[in-house]
Amino acid sequence: MTITRTETLSLTDGRELRVTIGEPESAVRGGLVVLHEARGMTAGVRTLVSSLAAEGWLAIAPHLYDADRVHGDDIRDQVSKLSGDRLLEDTDVAFVWLGQQGVSPDRMGVVGFDTGGTVAMVVAASRTIGAAVTVQGPGILEPLSDGLPALVDVAGDLTCPWLGIYRDDDSEEVSKLRDAVISSETASDVVRFDVSSDEAWVRALNWFDAHMR
């Protein structure tokens, strides 16, 4: 498995952003910004960064919280404080870093799970990149926080190919999200199935392969 490392990047506003990076051992196919779940930078997120690097993707995961991990009631509190502007600033830093490594914008993508999946769709509606994948992103009809939009409200603004992966037993909210993305002017899809990590993994990789060549 590819070894990851954590670095600190300086931001123009004086802040510092910690990022976890996974670099392919062979040729780089493109770059992916990985957005972590509500609990923060878990071992699972680090494994995802490593696995993407093993597939040939230069992967970078911004640490969106001040602390790497949050627990219990702190999770809800942390999510409620999320700001779209701040999140876009942090993901922009990751995209700039990918550009400095020689990755062109059309070969940059974003993938997120849980809360990170919500942010991934917001990014896909705000930035011109190669492709985006959301896995189990909540906040479809009601925003996760005052600083984030509901996903149905940005679905028509998608500026890059976007794939949403949700469990087959999810509510009618997912159907409403599928209806909303139809109005976007780019390739988009919402798939629902009995989620297994293997199937979601293959779906995500295939989406990036198809749209980031």
Side-chain angles (χ1 to χ4, degrees), residues 71-78:
H71 306 273
D73 293 340
D74 290 338
I75 297 175
R76 183 184 299 273
D77 180 62
Q78 187 67 61

Side-chain angles (χ1 to χ4, degrees), residues 50-126:
S50 176
S51 298
L52 288 169
E55 292 287 338
W57 299 98
L58 179 57
I60 176 171
H63 296 214
L64 303 176
Y65 300 160
D66 292 333
D68 279 353
R69 290 288 307 276
V70 291
H71 306 273
D73 293 340
D74 290 338
I75 297 175
R76 183 184 299 273
D77 180 62
Q78 187 67 61
V79 171
S80 70
K81 294 177 180 177
L82 290 176
S83 161
D85 290 341
R86 169 75 175 270
L87 292 169
L88 287 173
E89 289 175 2
D90 290 351
T91 53
D92 281 348
V93 170
F95 289 131
V96 168
W97 184 86
L98 288 174
Q100 292 171 340
Q101 314 311 308
V103 180
S104 59
D106 62 330
R107 292 171 56 239
M108 296 181 190
V110 60
V111 56
F113 295 76
D114 184 52
T115 301
T118 304
V119 179
M121 189 172 187
V122 174
V123 172
S126 306

Side-chain angles (χ1 to χ4, degrees), residues 35-59:
L35 300 174
H36 62 67
E37 58 180 289
R39 294 179 298 166
M41 282 296 301
T42 63
V45 177
R46 296 178 191 277
T47 298
L48 174 61
V49 171
S50 176
S51 298
L52 288 169
E55 292 287 338
W57 299 98
L58 179 57

